Amino acid sequence: MKSEHALLSIKGLEITYPSQDGNDKVIAVKNLNLDLMAGEIGCLLGSSGCGKSTVLRAICGFEPLKSGEIYLRNKLVSSPSMTLPPGERRIGMVFQDFALFPHLNALENVSFGLQHLSSQQRTTVAMDWLSKVSLSDKAKAYPHELSGGQQQRVSLARAMAPEPDVILLDEPFSSLDIELRERLAFEMRDILKANHISALLVTHDQTEAFAIADKVGVMTNGKILQWDAPYDLYHKPATRYVADFIGRGVFVKGTVLADNRVKIEIGEIPLDQGHNIEIGKEIDVLIRADDIQHDDHSPMQAEVVAKTFRGADFLYTLKLQSGVEVLALVPSHHNHEVGEKIGITLALDHVVTF
Ligand code: ADP
Ligand code: MG
């Protein structure tokens, strides 16, 4: 049943909670499968309440399983009939609020999980981890003397110091400034990768997920819909939900032509191999904001109906001749007014259809 080479393997996980009236059950996680390889950073991405934290708690050993199995390094740690206690699993946790001990300084926080070492070794190892997160000079600082980003790095060092098999991070950036988040996500990725640490992160923020993870699982209603590299989630969404959830885009009507091509209002696109759709059939085609390019000289025109300035680019909402609206990301030196008609070209090399 288990995948031999996965560091963390979850098979058919189901977890229920008693409902408020106590008579019924809330199914928080349903038939969830996941394999995380050694050194890999995985991410569960989904909106609030979809079951992300429940999965992490189950991996830690805090939730009994209704059905399924959890393996760490090929060892069964949870099943409906057994739950290895959290203290006997080699897991590090980083929480949304960092959960640092307020009365301990950075060094003491990082030393906390190293009780098995002599006091001198503890200090040496903890200092080493503080230096890996670039905080050697803050060893004596208390949490309230550190910025949010620094507290988060202490919390990461504390989780990494006992050298767990895997680090679990529950929305680790959500209490930080929005501008900081992406930079910190990249920084955290660098630290984890430099130290060959496997991690599973959960977040509701797609930018964060894409910035940090090698593999992302899109979750809804306790299920993972697709577990894939960010690039493939974006360009090859397996379901319409994933297509809608990841990135900006709209569906437009297309008609299947001969030779595996699809005609849409603004051009023709090859259909992915393997789709055997009959000629003449009408299908929905996903058009992302980066599939439409603006070209002042193109004869194909669309009307600007809305625009959002995003710094380097504008996100334009464009009305095609048929009245269908599409999105287009356009470099921000092309500043066109709402109501204006602008030239567009289609830059789409394959069709995503369902
Ligand atoms: P997420 O982390 O994705 O926001 P959670 O795993 O916290 O989601 O919760 C998943 C579902 O389980 C939600 O519907 C939530 O209300 C419910 N739930 C979570 N914890 C409990 C609990 N201790 N008792 C009852 N229901 C819970
Ligand atoms: Mg949660």
Side-chain angles (χ1 to χ4, degrees):
M1 280 298 279
K2 59 190 194 266
S3 308
E4 286 303 329
H5 302 295
L7 174 81
L8 165 68
S9 185
I10 301 179
K11 304 288 179 203
L13 184 67
E14 186 164 320
I15 294 174
T16 57
Y17 293 112
S19 69
Q20 301 230 296
D21 58 18
N23 295 325
D24 227 351
K25 280 183 173 151
V26 178
I27 304 178
V29 178
K30 281 178 223 166
N31 188 25
L32 183 135
N33 300 287
L34 177 161
D35 280 331
L36 189 74
M37 302 298 151
E40 206 168 48
I41 304 175
C43 176
L44 297 176
L45 171 66
S47 32
S48 178
C50 75
K52 306 179 296 292
S53 296
T54 302
V55 174
L56 292 195
R57 283 201 302 274
I59 298 169
C60 285
F62 294 123
E63 296 291 346
L65 270 49
K66 174 86 187 315
S67 55
E69 286 131 32
I70 300 176
Y71 297 87
L72 276 169
R73 289 199 186 282
N74 291 327
K75 181 182 165 200
L76 182 66
V77 294
S78 288
S79 74
S81 56
M82 70 84 75
T83 307
L84 187 72
E88 292 172 37
R89 304 178 181 212
R90 299 172 45 82
I91 288 175
M93 262 314 281
V94 175
F95 299 93
Q96 179 174 349
D97 56 3
F98 320 131
L100 294 175
F101 303 113
H103 58 290
L104 300 182
N105 66 31
L107 181 67
E108 291 160 346
N109 263 285
V110 179
S111 306
F112 186 80
L114 303 172
Q115 308 297 337
H116 55 291
L117 302 178
S118 73
S119 118
Q120 201 187 349
Q121 277 177 315
R122 229 169 26 233
T123 304
T124 311
V125 171
M127 278 309 294
D128 184 41
W129 283 101
L130 276 177
S131 106
K132 284 174 175 162
V133 299
S134 315
L135 284 177
S136 304
D137 56 333
K138 298 288 183 190
K140 296 279 185 255
Y142 285 85
H144 72 272
E145 298 169 313
L146 298 169
S147 72
Q150 289 168 336
Q151 289 181 46
Q152 188 200 50
R153 293 197 325 252
V154 173
S155 147
L156 182 61
R158 181 178 66 181
M160 293 190 295
E163 300 190 17
D165 287 336
V166 61
I167 290 200
L168 307 179
L169 307 106
D170 195 343
E171 310 251 5
F173 307 100
S174 53
S175 63
L176 298 169
D177 277 353
I178 229 157
E179 290 95 85
L180 260 180
R181 282 188 207 166
E182 200 173 346
R183 185 168 65 73
L184 289 173
F186 280 120
E187 200 176 281
M188 185 173 280
R189 180 179 164 87
D190 286 344
I191 296 168
L192 293 171
K193 287 292 176 190
N195 294 288
H196 310 288
I197 289 171
S198 316
L200 184 65
L201 158 95
V202 312
T203 179
H204 62 276
D205 184 316
Q206 185 202 319
T207 312
E208 238 166 72
F210 279 25
I212 196 167
D214 302 310
K215 293 275 177 61
V216 175
V218 176
M219 265 188 93
T220 184
N221 290 324
K223 284 189 184 151
I224 294 181
L225 298 180
Q226 187 174 357
W227 174 256
D228 241 328
Y231 183 92
D232 290 329
L233 281 181
Y234 188 82
H235 289 286
K236 296 173 193 162
T239 65
R240 194 161 179 140
Y241 184 91
V242 174
D244 276 337
F245 192 80
I246 300 288
R248 307 288 299 264
V250 293
F251 287 91
V252 302
K253 294 282 177 218
T255 310
V256 178
L257 306 176
D259 308 324
N260 247 353
R261 297 183 70 76
V262 179
K263 181 174 173 47
I264 60 172
E265 181 179 352
I266 49 176
E268 282 183 26
I269 326 137
L271 201 52
D272 272 350
Q273 292 300 319
H275 282 301
N276 250 333
I277 306 174
E278 63 191 88
I279 296 172
K281 196 168 163 64
E282 214 179 58
I283 60 173
D284 289 334
V285 175
L286 174 65
I287 308 281
R288 297 277 195 205
D290 51 339
D291 295 330
I292 305 260
Q293 281 176 359
H294 166 51
D295 173 0
D296 282 320
H297 307 293
S298 170
M300 192 156 44
Q301 300 279 306
E303 183 188 330
V304 177
V305 292
K307 68 192 239 196
T308 316
F309 180 57
R310 303 167 15 126
D313 44 43
F314 280 110
L315 181 66
Y316 283 111
T317 305
L318 301 174
K319 186 147 81 180
L320 306 180
Q321 228 156 23
S322 63
V324 168
E325 290 182 2
V326 294
L327 299 169
L329 272 179
V330 174
S332 67
H333 50 270
H334 288 274
N335 187 3
H336 295 284
E337 299 308 319
V338 170
E340 212 180 309
K341 290 215 161 145
I342 65 171
I344 55 164
T345 56
L346 183 63
L348 188 59
D349 54 6
H350 73 283
V351 174
V352 176
T353 184
F354 304 103

